[in-house]
């Protein structure tokens, strides 16, 4: 199958007073039509930068310093600003974080939707434009009457769905949803995610879901990409990611998930996410990694494809170490995460 | 009960007929769960004494908190502490962390000397799993969300509270740090005997940290009881819907398996009956009259007519069902 989205060696740097922060460092991704990819990572790992870079919406002091973004055969990174304006929404659409706050409170929903179409197609008659908006609203389970309403008349979930409707107005090939449900409660979250799911199937578009809720990922996506300090740590199909994560960070992430079985067991990931201004040498995860080897502190592991098709950036799986060797190391360190996050408060007085 | 109307004469009842009781001698963790608009934050504000109820009372050690004056009021302020949702909004960016921690020490005269004050600060920070040398002297912007939230817990701990009200303490924090903060809260309860009211919309964390749970919807108690029973065998349609909508990180447990389709309330209908009536898939004629609480077992009660074969229990006795 021909990939609908290709990201090749994307490099984004923020120039701050404190120095250069590499927010995205040599990230490559491929996505087929109809595929759903989850992009997870801690805050500051570069997830949102990734979305903005693909939309070419990085603002100074940030800059895309290299790499390509190819959507449906068009290289977005080569387009002029004018052409990029046209490509947004028609090729690649973005549903921002807290999208409900992105609606203009003094304009009716309809007006905001019509504007979006007019920016791309000023030939179309008013009637056809309005009809398209109505259809988009209906496809996200909203009534036609919403067209004439103001944002404040809608609930959070409905506003979020209006944003999805705007996102799909021009049948984009790729939809990027940046934490689309982070401000919504569970019931509304489920309804919104089901809407995205259905719309995506109708359009056959590829979806990138950005977030840190692994539960949501398990329920929604086909493939999960784990980001750490501006780089991809692991890309696996969702079943592999949850049953047999390879990268130590992905393992810790999966282990930190709550479930109904192990009540009262909290396992955080020890240590803190590194600042992008001071990314550790070698593998960025090495200060927190329980399987750290000497090589990890000096040589940066590249994202490599294992024999079974999994993509992992970790020395445990390279450097001539066989799978068995890596497992041996893991077993020896099994106890590392067993210790509680807060130790022996009693002993301190 | 708490009602409020600003511009119009019609007021909104944010909480209706909610009774709770926490025993000082048996510290516990009680979860108040519900979606946005369920009145859970209103409940926190009431318990902290920031707002006064329209009717009803909040008693702390037998005294109505709105009547507390002078020394009693200071004691209440010291012994009932809060941790709020957004660790990025509660810090004054111009002050270092030291300032944040010394103000309560001075205000409540907890230390006799600077030396003692510093020791107390260090002790509180260590108790929440932070290294004092990493934290003291830093400005809020130099700290991560998880660190800030733990400083909030440390600040509360410094005052040796009897009751901690944690309003969504982990919802703005990364998943990997959530575990650390919840562990901190739980060890506070275990080791320092602090009772915790944990307010959240996230039933997964509630399940892991709490002993008992009260589920609110539009200001009314839907279901309450032992956290294991309520989450594993929910009896109220609303609780069932909530639990069914949790995206479990488990591939064998698909979303929406128990096909309870809630209708979406188009607008906020103010009914006199069950608050969940407009959305309930099982709505019946008699639901237009507010259902009482039915006691389903030793540790579970639900406010739903589907359970009317069980005996009713007055809402002010609800706390008896909550295990500690």
């Amino acid at each position: 199958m021909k990939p609908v989205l290709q990201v090749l060696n994307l490099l984004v740097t923020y120039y701050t007073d404190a120095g250069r922060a590499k927010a995205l460092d040599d990230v490559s991704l491929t996505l087929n039509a109809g595929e759903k990819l989850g992009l997870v990572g801690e805050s500051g790992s570069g997830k949102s930068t990734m979305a903005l870079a693909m939309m070419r919406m990085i603002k100074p002091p940030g800059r895309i310093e290299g790499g390509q973004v190819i959507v449906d055969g068009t290289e977005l990174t080569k387009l002029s600003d004018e052409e990029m304006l046209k490509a947004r929404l028609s090729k690649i659409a973005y549903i921002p974080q807290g999208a409900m706050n992105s609606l203009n409170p003094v304009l009716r929903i309809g007006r905001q939707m019509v504007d979006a179409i007019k920016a791309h197609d000023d030939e179309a008659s008013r009637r056809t434009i309005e009809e398209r908006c109505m259809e988009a609203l209906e496809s996200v389970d909203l009534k036609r009457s919403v067209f004439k309403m103001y944002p404040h008349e809608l609930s959070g979930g409905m506003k979020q769905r209006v944003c999805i409707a705007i996102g799909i107005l021009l049948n984009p090939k790729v939809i990027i949803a940046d934490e689309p449900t982070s401000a919504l409660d569970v019931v509304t979250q489920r309804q919104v995610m089901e809407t995205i799911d259905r719309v995506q199937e109708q359009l056959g578009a590829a979806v990138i879901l950005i977030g840190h809720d692994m539960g949501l990922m398990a329920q929604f996506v086909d493939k999960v990409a784990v980001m750490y300090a501006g780089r991809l740590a692991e890309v696996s199909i969702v079943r592999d990611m949850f049953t047999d994560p390879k990268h130590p960070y992905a393992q810790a992430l999966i282990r930190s998930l709550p479930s109904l079985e192990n009540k009262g067991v909290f396992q955080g990931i020890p240590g803190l996410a590194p600042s992008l201004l001071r990314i550790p040498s070698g593998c960025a995860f090495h200060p927190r990694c329980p399987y750290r080897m000497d090589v990890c502190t000096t040589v940066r592991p590249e994202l490599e494809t294992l024999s079974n098709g999994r993509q992992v950036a970790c020395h445990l799986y390279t450097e001539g170490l066989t799978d068995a060797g890596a497992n041996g190391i893991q077993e020896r360190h099994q106890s590392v995460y067993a210790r509680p996050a807060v130790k022996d408060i009693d002993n301190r007085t | 009960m708490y009602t409020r109307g600003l511009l119009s004469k019609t007021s909104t009842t944010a909480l209706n007929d909610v009774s709770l009781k926490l025993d000082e001698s048996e510290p516990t963790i009680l979860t108040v769960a519900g979606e946005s608009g369920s009145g859970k934050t209103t409940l926190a504000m009431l318990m902290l004494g920031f707002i006064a109820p329209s009717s009803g009372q909040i008693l702390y050690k037998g005294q109505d908190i709105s009547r507390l004056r002078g020394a009693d009021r200071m004691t209440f302020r010291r012994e009932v502490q809060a941790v709020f949702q957004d660790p990025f909004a509660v810090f004054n960016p111009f002050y270092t962390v030291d300032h944040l921690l010394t103000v309560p020490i001075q205000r409540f005269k907890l230390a006799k000397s600077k030396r003692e004050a510093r020791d107390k600060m260090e002790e509180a920070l260590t108790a929440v799993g932070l290294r004092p040398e990493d934290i003291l002297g830093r400005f809020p912007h130099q700290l991560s969300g998880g660190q800030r939230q733990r400083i909030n817990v440390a600040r509360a701990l410094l005052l040796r509270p009897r009751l901690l009200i944690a309003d969504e303490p982990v919802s703005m924090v990364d998943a990997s740090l959530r575990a650390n903060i919840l562990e901190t809260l739980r060890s506070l309860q275990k080791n320092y005997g602090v009772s915790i009211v944990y307010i959240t919309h996230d039933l997964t964390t509630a399940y892991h940290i709490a002993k008992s749970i009260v589920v609110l919807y539009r200001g009314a108690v839907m279901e309450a009881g032992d956290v294991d029973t309520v989450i594993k065998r929910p009896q109220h349609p609303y609780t069932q819907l909530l639990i069914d909508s949790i995206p479990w990180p488990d591939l064998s447990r698909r979303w929406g398996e128990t096909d309870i389709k809630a209708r979406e309330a188009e607008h906020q209908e103010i009914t006199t009956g069950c608050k969940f009536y407009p959305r309930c898939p099982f709505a019946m004629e008699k639901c237009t009259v507010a259902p009482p609480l039915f006691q389903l077992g030793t540790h579970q009660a639900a406010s739903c007519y589907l359970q009317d074969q069980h005996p009713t229990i007055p809402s002010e006795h609800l706390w008896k069902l909550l295990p500690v």
Side-chain angles (χ1 to χ4, degrees):
Chain A
M1 202 197 279
K2 205 172 156 286
V4 65
L5 169 77
Q6 269 181 293
V7 177
L8 299 170
N9 308 97
L10 202 58
L11 202 66
V12 175
T13 311
Y14 288 94
Y15 288 90
T16 67
D17 292 341
R20 281 176 64 187
K22 274 192 188 174
L24 277 188
D25 190 359
D26 204 14
V27 175
S28 301
L29 262 185
T30 315
L31 208 56
N32 293 324
E35 226 175 357
K36 289 176 281 187
L37 173 86
L39 201 57
V40 295
E42 289 163 287
S43 26
S45 60
K47 316 184 290 281
S48 293
T49 303
M50 180 88 182
L52 292 173
M54 283 188 274
M55 294 296 290
R56 275 188 49 195
M57 281 166 33
I58 300 274
K59 292 200 185 91
R63 257 181 62 194
I64 301 178
E65 303 228 285
Q68 294 168 293
V69 180
I70 303 165
V71 176
D72 196 27
T74 315
E75 196 180 330
L76 298 184
T77 29
K78 286 246 171 67
L79 297 179
S80 68
D81 287 353
E82 196 83 342
E83 288 167 324
M84 190 60 216
L85 275 181
K86 298 266 182 218
R88 286 189 199 121
L89 225 52
S90 63
K91 290 213 175 290
I92 184 165
Y94 178 54
I95 304 170
Q97 201 169 354
M100 50 257 234
N101 301 325
S102 63
L103 294 170
N104 187 334
V106 297
L107 294 182
R108 291 178 198 273
I109 299 296
R111 172 73 193 285
Q112 304 187 41
M113 298 182 81
V114 170
D115 279 355
I117 297 184
K118 274 195 177 155
H120 289 82
D121 179 7
D122 41 17
E123 306 278 281
S125 74
R126 225 185 110 150
R127 279 196 68 134
T128 51
I129 290 180
E130 277 188 17
E131 193 50 40
R132 257 159 91 182
C133 296
M134 300 283 196
E135 277 167 19
L137 285 175
E138 276 179 346
S139 69
V140 294
D141 270 341
L142 289 172
K143 290 203 171 126
R144 281 172 168 249
S145 56
V146 170
F147 190 80
K148 289 223 157 39
M149 289 189 180
Y150 285 100
H152 73 263
E153 294 176 87
L154 307 174
S155 71
M158 289 164 89
K159 278 189 262 188
Q160 191 62 278
R161 262 183 264 163
V162 167
C163 291
I164 298 169
I166 294 175
I168 60 165
L169 272 178
L170 298 168
N171 301 346
K173 296 283 180 284
V174 178
I175 302 170
I176 305 172
D178 190 353
E179 306 217 18
T181 57
S182 60
L184 305 173
D185 48 69
V186 281
V187 181
T188 325
Q189 164 172 291
R190 178 172 138 201
Q191 287 164 340
V192 167
M193 291 317 289
E194 280 168 354
T195 307
I196 296 183
D197 208 28
R198 217 188 39 250
V199 162
Q200 182 258 350
E201 250 165 53
Q202 285 166 8
L203 292 179
V207 171
I208 298 182
L209 176 69
I210 295 176
H212 57 237
D213 186 346
M214 285 301 259
L216 205 55
M217 296 296 165
Q219 302 295 339
F220 186 73
V221 301
D222 309 317
K223 223 158 87 171
V224 183
V226 178
M227 287 199 82
Y228 191 79
R231 292 173 64 82
L232 289 176
E234 177 168 352
V235 184
S236 289
I237 60 166
V238 70
R239 180 157 296 280
D240 289 344
M241 183 60 84
F242 278 88
T243 52
D244 178 28
K246 291 288 182 198
H247 195 283
Y249 176 65
Q251 291 173 351
L253 206 60
I254 297 292
R255 220 174 288 137
S256 72
L257 297 174
S259 74
L260 272 184
E261 284 75 47
N262 55 348
K263 175 167 171 148
V265 182
F266 296 109
Q267 290 193 322
I269 305 176
L272 284 176
S275 152
L276 290 174
L277 291 167
R278 290 179 300 278
I279 293 180
S281 63
C283 172
F285 187 60
H286 86 253
R288 298 168 77 183
C289 183
Y291 315 125
R292 180 173 60 236
M293 300 175 286
D294 289 342
V295 60
C296 301
T297 55
T298 48
V299 182
R300 197 173 73 179
E302 298 298 324
L303 192 68
E304 290 189 41
T305 310
L306 304 184
S307 53
N308 49 7
R310 313 264 308 259
Q311 287 180 292
V312 188
C314 178
H315 288 307
L316 287 177
Y317 307 98
T318 53
E319 305 284 330
L321 272 170
T322 59
D323 241 27
N327 285 339
I329 294 176
Q330 292 189 17
E331 271 157 31
R332 255 185 285 140
H333 290 83
Q334 206 84 91
S335 58
V336 170
Y337 285 112
R339 65 174 181 228
V342 182
K343 301 179 282 188
D344 302 335
I345 296 192
D346 292 328
N347 300 344
R348 301 195 186 99
T349 43
Chain B
M1 189 191 278
Y2 180 75
T3 59
R4 178 100 208 239
L6 185 62
L7 292 173
S8 60
K9 275 186 188 147
T10 52
S11 58
T12 309
T13 308
L15 270 181
N16 191 4
D17 198 12
V18 176
S19 300
L20 288 174
K21 192 166 159 183
L22 289 167
D23 211 324
E24 195 191 359
S25 55
E26 290 169 299
T28 184
I29 301 183
L30 166 75
T31 291
V32 177
E35 59 189 77
S36 25
S38 62
K40 48 192 198 310
T41 300
T42 305
L43 185 64
M45 295 297 170
L46 285 167
M47 286 193 285
L48 288 164
F50 293 167
I51 50 179
S54 311
S55 68
Q57 280 181 313
I58 294 139
L59 302 175
Y60 180 73
K61 292 186 174 168
Q63 278 186 295
D64 189 335
I65 57 167
S66 59
R67 298 239 168 84
L68 291 175
R69 293 289 177 270
D72 287 344
R73 193 172 170 77
M74 285 299 274
T75 318
F76 169 75
R77 279 269 175 267
R78 185 169 68 78
E79 293 187 347
V80 180
Q81 285 295 317
V83 174
F84 295 107
Q85 182 172 13
D86 188 350
F88 298 90
V90 295
F91 285 89
N92 185 332
F94 293 109
Y95 291 125
T96 59
V97 174
D98 305 42
H99 179 84
L100 180 97
L101 295 173
T102 43
V103 167
I105 292 182
Q106 287 168 354
R107 186 98 181 84
F108 293 107
K109 301 187 180 64
L110 298 177
K112 290 187 184 69
S113 65
K114 279 214 166 131
R115 179 78 240 147
E116 200 187 336
R118 179 132 190 129
D119 287 346
K120 280 209 156 73
M121 269 153 61
E122 290 184 357
E123 186 199 330
L125 288 172
T126 333
V128 296
L130 293 169
R131 280 193 298 269
E133 62 271 24
D134 287 0
I135 301 296
L136 294 174
R138 298 265 210 124
F139 284 97
H141 70 266
Q142 296 170 308
L143 303 167
S144 73
Q147 283 176 318
R148 293 187 208 198
Q149 199 62 302
R150 277 190 272 175
I151 291 169
N152 283 331
V153 179
R155 186 199 55 83
L157 176 66
L158 200 61
L159 302 169
R160 297 280 143 155
R162 305 302 309 149
L163 177 63
L164 186 68
I165 295 175
D167 189 359
E168 303 261 15
V170 293
S171 68
M172 308 271 293
V173 182
D174 270 333
S176 54
L177 284 168
R178 267 179 208 186
N180 299 348
I181 290 169
L182 291 176
E183 186 62 53
T184 309
L185 286 179
R186 201 171 46 179
S187 60
L188 279 189
Q189 181 252 327
K190 270 201 196 120
N191 302 323
Y192 289 91
V194 182
S195 279
I196 297 174
V197 178
Y198 177 71
I199 294 175
T200 188
H201 67 267
D202 179 4
L203 291 172
T204 17
T205 54
Y207 171 74
H208 282 270
I209 194 173
K211 267 277 169 34
S212 47
I213 185 168
V214 174
V215 181
L216 293 178
Y217 181 75
R218 298 251 158 98
V221 176
M222 295 286 117
E223 188 161 358
D226 171 52
V227 77
D228 275 278
T229 322
V230 171
I231 290 194
K232 288 195 173 146
R233 282 186 300 281
Q235 297 302 324
H236 194 286
Y238 175 63
T239 328
Q240 288 170 353
L241 174 72
L242 263 189
I243 287 163
D244 190 45
S245 300
I246 299 174
W248 293 98
D250 182 351
L251 296 169
S252 54
R253 194 184 166 114
R254 298 313 292 182
W255 229 355
E257 248 174 11
T258 47
D259 193 40
I260 308 164
K261 279 280 174 209
R263 291 180 279 155
E264 200 163 352
E266 296 271 310
H267 46 89
Q268 297 207 358
E269 291 159 72
I270 297 155
T271 55
T272 46
C274 176
K275 300 283 181 203
F276 192 54
Y277 176 72
R279 289 173 70 188
C280 184
F282 307 110
M284 298 174 285
E285 192 100 337
K286 58 182 166 186
C287 296
T288 47
V289 180
L293 279 165
F294 296 99
Q295 182 172 356
L296 312 179
T298 39
H299 291 305
Q300 192 176 17
S303 164
C304 180
Y305 284 119
L306 291 175
Q307 306 297 337
D308 63 1
Q309 72 276 27
H310 297 283
T312 59
I313 173 170
S315 69
E316 58 268 30
H317 290 163
L318 181 65
W319 62 272
K320 288 180 184 162
L321 298 181
L322 305 175
V324 289

